[in-house]
Amino acid sequence: MPRLHDRSKPSGSIVRPFDSKVLSYTPLLFAVLPFLVLYIDGPVKTFILSVQSDWGLMVASAITALGYGPVAAAVAVTLLVIGLKAGKHREATVGKFGLLAVILGGLSSQIMKNLFCRSRPLAEKSGQFFVDFPCLGKGSGLISFPSGHSVTAFALACVLSRAYPRWTFLFYGLAVLVALSRIYLAKHFPSDVVAGAAIGLLAGWIVCRFAAFSLVHGHT
């Protein structure tokens, strides 16, 4: 007897058994952080300052804009609106989940920034943690760890790659470029952007995993 088509989940939905590969990467990223802080951050900062150029700063500034929370949220909202207006379930779902991932990642990064109070590469006491703790409201120079741009870029990339797997390399490639731009602009250390990538991936995973569970049980 032919199997009837299951209409409970529209075709093209990102709600499907979740690939655990993304989650498996996050412990590795967190594990390398001490090594980066101790041996990589300082030399990379020195190297970056020696190779910066006006043209490079201009390009990096344009790329880094893709990681701004409002920009990432605008991309998600645009997909949500398109999906709702055109009756496209996948786009509406991607937009909703993408926005949730950006918000979750952004809130998490802000909490961690104000807990670790790490001084930015060009700020006084560069690279030190717990400077003037608690650092809430004491200036952007003390909120280097983790990189918020990297968090939002990887959170959105995680959701988008689940919906459009054919473009996975593009989404994550752009997220990597955003992370590298933060280092080139001397706004963050390598450990900051690696931590941001890990948090962003985790935020995207949590949103997609929770959404898949809730939709299966009819709680949408």
Side-chain angles (χ1 to χ4, degrees):
M1 180 178 178
R3 179 178 295 180
L4 296 177
H5 179 64
D6 183 4
R7 297 181 181 274
S8 62
K9 299 178 188 177
S11 60
S13 171
I14 67 172
V15 180
R16 58 184 186 269
F18 195 82
D19 187 356
S20 62
K21 288 183 180 179
V22 170
L23 185 62
S24 68
Y25 297 144
T26 55
L28 177 61
L29 293 176
F30 282 122
V32 301
L33 288 179
F35 174 79
L36 294 176
V37 171
L38 293 173
Y39 302 107
I40 302 299
D41 285 352
V44 168
K45 169 193 168 182
T46 301
F47 172 74
I48 289 297
L49 293 177
S50 70
V51 299
Q52 281 182 336
S53 66
D54 292 339
W55 180 86
L57 292 172
M58 181 178 64
V59 173
S61 296
I63 295 173
T64 207
L66 299 175
Y68 280 120
V71 173
V75 172
V77 170
T78 299
L79 283 171
L80 175 60
V81 172
I82 291 175
L84 293 176
K85 293 291 186 180
K88 296 183 178 180
H89 174 81
R90 180 170 63 174
E91 280 63 41
T93 303
V94 174
K96 179 172 65 176
F97 294 171
L99 183 59
L100 289 174
V102 168
I103 292 174
L104 176 60
L107 290 176
S108 300
S109 68
Q110 288 302 314
I111 292 173
M112 294 184 68
K113 281 175 179 288
N114 287 285
L115 287 177
F116 285 98
C117 299
R118 189 184 195 187
S119 186
R120 291 188 187 271
L122 300 183
E124 187 179 358
K125 299 182 179 180
S126 172
Q128 293 186 25
F129 288 86
F130 306 110
V131 177
D132 201 15
F133 180 86
C135 55
L136 182 64
K138 295 182 180 178
S140 62
L142 300 179
I143 53 174
S144 186
F145 184 91
S147 164
H149 285 67
S150 300
V151 171
T152 54
F154 276 90
L156 186 58
C158 181
V159 175
L160 291 176
S161 67
R162 291 299 299 160
Y164 311 103
R166 181 179 300 179
W167 303 100
T168 292
F169 287 108
L170 173 62
F171 298 137
Y172 282 116
L174 289 174
V176 169
L177 286 177
V178 168
L180 292 177
S181 74
R182 302 305 289 165
I183 298 175
Y184 186 83
L185 292 170
K187 296 295 185 180
H188 288 285
F189 294 98
S191 58
D192 298 335
V193 301
V194 169
I199 295 168
L201 289 173
L202 187 58
W205 183 89
I206 289 173
V207 168
C208 289
R209 185 65 176 175
F210 173 78
F213 174 85
S214 64
L215 284 175
V216 167
H217 291 79
H219 303 301
T220 59

